[in-house]
Amino acid sequence: MLTAAMLLLAKIILAQHPNFKTEPQNPEPGQTIRISYQPNGTVLQNERLVEALVFLHDGSNADGITAVDILLTQQNGTWEGAIPTKPNTKALLIAFASGELIDNNSQEGYSILLHQKGKPMPGAHAALAMSYSWGLRGIKGKVKPEKILALYEKELEHNPWIKEQISFNYVIAYKEARPATAGQDLQSFYNQLVRKKDKTAQQYETLKYMAENVYKKPEDAAAFREEGIRKYPDSKLAAMQLFRSFYNETDIRKKEDIANKAARIMAQDKGFGLMQVQFMWRELAGIAAEQENWATMQQYATRIRSKDALANALNSVAWELSGEHLDSAGRHLDEARQFSAQSIHLMEEERRTRNSKPSFMTGRDYLRNLKYDLGNLYDTYALILWKLNQKDSAAFYQEKAIELTKGADKDMFHRFTVFLQQAKSTEVARTMADRFLALGKNTPALSQLHQQLCLQDGFTQETYREHKQTLLDKARSVRKKELIEKRIKEPAHAFSLKDLSGKDVTLASLAGKIVIVDFWAIWCGPCRASFPGMQQVQNKYASDNNVHFLYIDTWENKEPEKMRTDAQSFIDQNKYSFHV
């Protein structure tokens, strides 16, 4: 008798896509797969250029994903292309895109299982499941946990011996799909792993996860972690503990030792582990910069392997030295200009070469990230140049910053208007400020400057108020249209979290309210920069019981209690009334 999960799997595997075909139909590892895509009835049906976003998975883990972009050619209304696979490729997840438009097959992607002797090869179903778990972000996809679990169960039905290899991902999928029964259902497997004498590093990782997240036994989880690290000191389990230790350590030399150990373990990593190591060197460079030890700062910075990460590290230092605001003096501006210029050079070079692209990211997503990051680097450089009295250059780079980031930070518009006023004229600055207000880029500082410019340009108080209201009405119309287009017509995911006071916060407890959720971290500069504005918005709706603001602290890489106390200290110091 088929279970509900197996029926869901049948829909995934057996469904025919009339607009997507492969040749051969049952490809094998190492073969080149010819694909044909007919976009009729999709969002891409009228597009003149279409590319395939392809995620190949070797069935190992999250780092087993390789993302590639395949440019397609059109023949009689059908887009065609070729995807080379590797000898270890087991499954592919594909979407089709043109600019910002993506056909992701109703969020599930178009999938291909690789075969041996006419049947899905061992590990193929599990590889597709991992692709759903780790690769959907690249295609803006979403798959229900039950479908991911069904793929793992299909794999185990035909290849039960593979369970030890996929145990960690299988357990995560089981808990997400069946949270109410996971503990009971997995008890036998858990006991079997506990009794096993020669555990692998991944099995220790699985036991730690199960003890911590399924059975809520933190002491057992710590014991599995320590035993696993003792037996496998060069494992990713050991690296993850090093990451936690690094962010809890305060002594810079001890932090450096930890970073060196993590870098050695992750020397061949090109995914999440590499990113974490680079974050460590970036923080060390920042600490050295705070101490104004430029030689040591550069020494730490050069340990960052990817040019884009190194550029962002140098920019963080330059931005802090700039004073971060127009009305602050800044310090060591000559050094700040040097670091900022170096960061721009590195980022522009990386945009040309893409040598540091993570294996799990498509080229289009990587270039989009680099473009945005370069815009932020230009923003820093513009502020430094302005404070060094290079007004024309400051205006030039500020305009480029707005162009590349699409004005994600509204303060850029105020700075650009100030630069234009000083580099060009009041009329030029006022005209540009008009445009910004009509686009909804208003801030208190820009509003005040806009009023000054208008009055200097011949407006009376009355004509100014009418003029400004017209601009704000246009901005509301634009914003309303954007929100309607972006609105997701799906129920929000259920969650249960602890707030700073230790109370449980669930989505169900907020039912019927408009809930604004802000994901943030203490180390996140843009997050911190947004908080004064968020406090103003929260104050505006303080008396409205139908509106609730919730701030979720995440990605801190700290032990839970340390994370809680640091978050509480940050909120208290800044006198925010946030529900964290």
Side-chain angles (χ1 to χ4, degrees), residues 81-122:
I83 305 172
T85 65
K86 300 178 181 179
N88 62 347
T89 303
K90 292 181 173 64
L92 292 82
L93 189 63
I94 304 171
F96 298 94
S98 179
E100 297 299 318
L101 297 176
I102 290 184
D103 172 17
N104 57 17
N105 188 31
S106 300
Q107 297 190 304
E108 293 185 0
Y110 296 92
S111 59
I112 302 174
L113 298 178
L114 271 66
H115 288 61
Q116 284 181 346
K117 298 179 181 180
K119 296 181 179 180
M121 65 182 300

Side-chain angles (χ1 to χ4, degrees), residues 65-254:
I65 291 180
T66 300
V68 295
D69 307 67
I70 305 293
L71 189 62
L72 306 178
T73 58
Q74 191 179 39
Q75 298 287 338
N76 300 321
T78 298
W79 294 93
E80 299 178 344
I83 305 172
T85 65
K86 300 178 181 179
N88 62 347
T89 303
K90 292 181 173 64
L92 292 82
L93 189 63
I94 304 171
F96 298 94
S98 179
E100 297 299 318
L101 297 176
I102 290 184
D103 172 17
N104 57 17
N105 188 31
S106 300
Q107 297 190 304
E108 293 185 0
Y110 296 92
S111 59
I112 302 174
L113 298 178
L114 271 66
H115 288 61
Q116 284 181 346
K117 298 179 181 180
K119 296 181 179 180
M121 65 182 300
H125 290 97
L128 181 57
M130 291 180 206
S131 296
Y132 281 144
S133 296
W134 304 104
L136 284 173
R137 182 178 180 182
I139 65 170
K140 298 182 180 179
K142 178 181 177 182
V143 172
K144 292 181 179 180
E146 293 85 352
K147 292 188 177 183
I148 296 175
L149 179 59
L151 283 165
Y152 282 118
E153 292 184 333
K154 183 71 172 179
E155 184 68 55
L156 296 175
E157 176 188 348
H158 292 281
N159 306 293
W161 52 270
I162 209 170
K163 190 169 187 176
E164 290 189 0
Q165 297 179 21
I166 66 172
S167 60
F168 183 72
N169 293 289
Y170 169 67
V171 168
I172 292 177
Y174 205 108
K175 180 180 180 296
E176 291 181 351
R178 302 173 188 169
T181 64
Q184 180 179 346
D185 297 345
L186 296 172
Q187 187 69 60
S188 176
F189 175 61
Y190 179 72
N191 293 339
Q192 179 184 347
L193 281 183
V194 171
R195 292 192 299 267
K196 195 172 186 296
K197 291 184 178 180
D198 298 321
K199 300 181 184 69
T200 65
Q202 186 187 74
Q203 287 166 346
Y204 277 111
E205 191 174 357
T206 303
L207 283 169
K208 173 189 170 295
Y209 176 85
M210 295 181 76
E212 191 169 49
N213 298 283
V214 179
Y215 298 109
K216 309 298 181 184
K217 296 180 178 180
E219 297 83 4
D220 290 354
F224 290 131
R225 181 183 65 231
E226 292 169 6
E227 185 177 340
I229 292 173
R230 186 168 62 253
K231 289 188 176 181
Y232 300 98
D234 292 336
S235 65
K236 288 189 177 181
L237 186 66
M240 293 304 295
Q241 180 59 26
L242 287 172
F243 297 152
R244 282 187 288 268
S245 299
F246 177 87
Y247 290 107
N248 290 329
E249 181 57 66
T250 56
D251 183 271
I252 188 171
R253 293 304 172 191
K254 291 181 180 179

Side-chain angles (χ1 to χ4, degrees), residues 311-329:
N312 283 320
L314 292 168
N315 180 65
S316 293
V317 174
W319 177 247
E320 193 275 331
L321 292 177
S322 76
E324 304 182 7
H325 301 286
L326 288 170
D327 56 358
S328 60

Side-chain angles (χ1 to χ4, degrees), residues 367-385:
L367 283 175
R368 184 184 290 115
N369 289 351
L370 293 181
K371 178 181 178 181
Y372 181 84
D373 288 346
L374 181 59
N376 283 322
L377 270 53
Y378 285 150
D379 182 46
T380 299
Y381 196 50
L383 182 58
I384 294 169
L385 292 175

Side-chain angles (χ1 to χ4, degrees), residues 155 207 230 260 274 319 361 392 407 422 490 510 518 526 580:
E155 184 68 55
L207 283 169
R230 186 168 62 253
N260 278 316
L274 171 62
W319 177 247
M361 187 179 292
D392 287 325
Q422 298 189 10
E490 298 176 10
L510 302 171
D518 189 319
V580 178

